Amino acid sequence: MVSKELPFTKEKIEEIIQTYPTPFHIYDEKAIRANAKDMLRAFSKVNGFKEFFAVKALPNPYILKILKEEGFGADCSSLPELLLAEKAGITGENIMFSSNDTPADEFVKAREMGAIINLDDISHIEVLEKTAGLPDVLCFRYNPGPLKEGNALIGKPEEAKYGFTREQLFEGYEILKKKGVKRFGLHTMVASNELNPDYFVETARILFEVIVEISKKVGIQFEFVNLGGGIGIPYRPEQDRVSFDKIASGVQKAYDETIVKNGLTPPKVYLECGRVITGPYGYLITSVRHLKSIYKDYVGTDACMANLMRPGIYGAYHHITILGKENQPATTKYDVTGSLCENNDKFAVDRMLPKVERGDLLVIHDTGAHGYAMGFNYNGKLRSAELLLRPDGSVKQIRRAETIDDYFATLDLNGLKNFK
Ligand SMILES: *Cc1c(COP(=O)(O)O)cnc(C)c1O
């Protein structure tokens, strides 16, 4: 069981809101760094281990710079994400470009940057060759189809749009070999928010076994294998965190029994996790604006789905703490809502909480990944600021809140005056 402790006090948040009004996300730098170190320590026994942080989870260049300092690369899937990584000083083969349905100009940019390109489809070999030229190193994304049981969030692999079939992998590496590509990788991503370490070990084993077969049949050596992301986090207080040590030792055992046993040149092992790297270390801070009692009791906050989509779209659980009421009994059942004209706009449904009052400060936990990032402007709602709680206790704004001017920036209002 994970205790939902906070890295700040009520007084600290009251001080912060003097400068940065709610709502905002705040990220705990010290905990992010400690977690990154823990991952690298656990996987240090795995050959050539490297983590490429999935930028989509928390696309802020300050965070990327912190993770770079800890030794991580970046996993990008669009042109803006490539540019974010570049701004953070992550370059060349420290970038994995794992996209799908990819526009040609993004292949060109990834190629210019010297990123490792991970192709989602066999037909992209030709597109890449024509638009950007084939690089020395290429990776393919494998969709294991019915070989792999589905995971709750991402579904069954054979229903997923991603990757090459098994047959296409053999054909694809043949083509690369003929075309003079020298260095090869294999990738998959079949999980999301998965808390069972065995799931990742089993996935690794499937990849290692395919590598053994392809190496023999096609006559190539693999330089790396990328096990993807998808490691889950304990959103609920009664859940436990996934042990990096358990995944690492399971992966190592599978590696020994496949790659090593068959005498292959040992490929390096990569991950591209997002959620487990930053998710637990972000908090959405919001103030209670209104309370209403009709058929149910509602807490209306000054945040909304634009700040955190997961509860609204997946019914995902995010723990909520009322600052200053941590030790009060949870006596009242509430729906905690935002202000969108959309009934899904709820952070919690039927949640037992201590008695809430107008002006209370709520902490919505575990918003450090797929939180701010999924924001949108429906109903003219503006995205919040992102703050960084530094290890010395100071606070740095790492993204300002959107303003009405940002909202109007894409409209030509002078054109509107003359428009009849
Ligand atoms: C989303 C995604 C990730 C990261 O997933 P997490 O669940 O945040 O670890 C990694 N790789 C690819 C290709 C993805 O689409």
Side-chain angles (χ1 to χ4, degrees), residues 137-156:
V137 54
L138 265 179
C139 182
F140 292 157
R141 178 172 186 160
Y142 176 34
N143 180 332
L147 247 190
K148 181 85 188 155
E149 283 278 311
N151 138 291
L153 252 195
I154 219 167
K156 289 183 170 189

Side-chain angles (χ1 to χ4, degrees), residues 51-58 75-77 97-100 118 141 153-154 162 187-189 191-194 200 226-232 271-278 369-370:
E51 152 74 9
F52 295 78
F53 176 67
V55 171
K56 74 167 188 237
L58 184 45
D75 167 48
C76 303
S77 71
F97 184 56
S98 294
S99 59
N100 69 90
N118 182 18
R141 178 172 186 160
L153 252 195
I154 219 167
Y162 308 110
H187 164 269
T188 200
M189 165 85 190
S192 185
N193 196 27
E194 178 61 57
F200 298 95
N226 178 347
L227 308 179
I231 300 177
L271 280 176
E272 50 180 32
C273 291
R275 188 186 315 271
V276 76
I277 306 301
T278 53
H370 311 295

Side-chain angles (χ1 to χ4, degrees), residues 20-123:
Y20 306 110
T22 56
F24 55 80
H25 290 267
I26 185 164
Y27 309 117
D28 178 359
E29 178 179 345
K30 192 167 148 194
I32 291 172
R33 287 187 184 275
N35 183 52
K37 287 187 170 76
D38 187 50
M39 175 185 253
L40 294 182
R41 176 203 53 75
F43 282 89
S44 60
K45 51 196 162 228
V46 176
N47 186 51
F49 179 76
K50 188 169 175 82
E51 152 74 9
F52 295 78
F53 176 67
V55 171
K56 74 167 188 237
L58 184 45
N60 188 300
Y62 288 81
I63 300 291
L64 298 182
K65 202 164 181 185
I66 289 169
L67 293 173
K68 174 189 188 266
E69 238 179 76
E70 295 298 334
F72 287 8
D75 167 48
C76 303
S77 71
S78 67
L79 185 57
E81 287 185 359
L82 286 168
L83 298 175
L84 279 174
E86 195 172 50
K87 296 283 179 211
I90 303 175
T91 55
E93 294 189 6
N94 289 313
I95 298 175
M96 186 72 64
F97 184 56
S98 294
S99 59
N100 69 90
D101 193 18
T102 314
D105 62 326
E106 302 198 354
F107 279 138
V108 171
K109 178 66 185 172
R111 180 89 169 80
E112 269 170 29
M113 289 174 73
I116 300 174
I117 296 175
N118 182 18
L119 295 183
D120 183 67
D121 189 61
I122 193 160
S123 67

Side-chain angles (χ1 to χ4, degrees), residues 5 9 88 99 112 117 231 254 259 272 283 338 366 379 404 408:
E5 272 172 22
T9 59
S99 59
E112 269 170 29
I117 296 175
I231 300 177
I259 304 280
E272 50 180 32
Y283 306 84
D366 302 306
N379 254 181
I404 304 260
F408 279 96

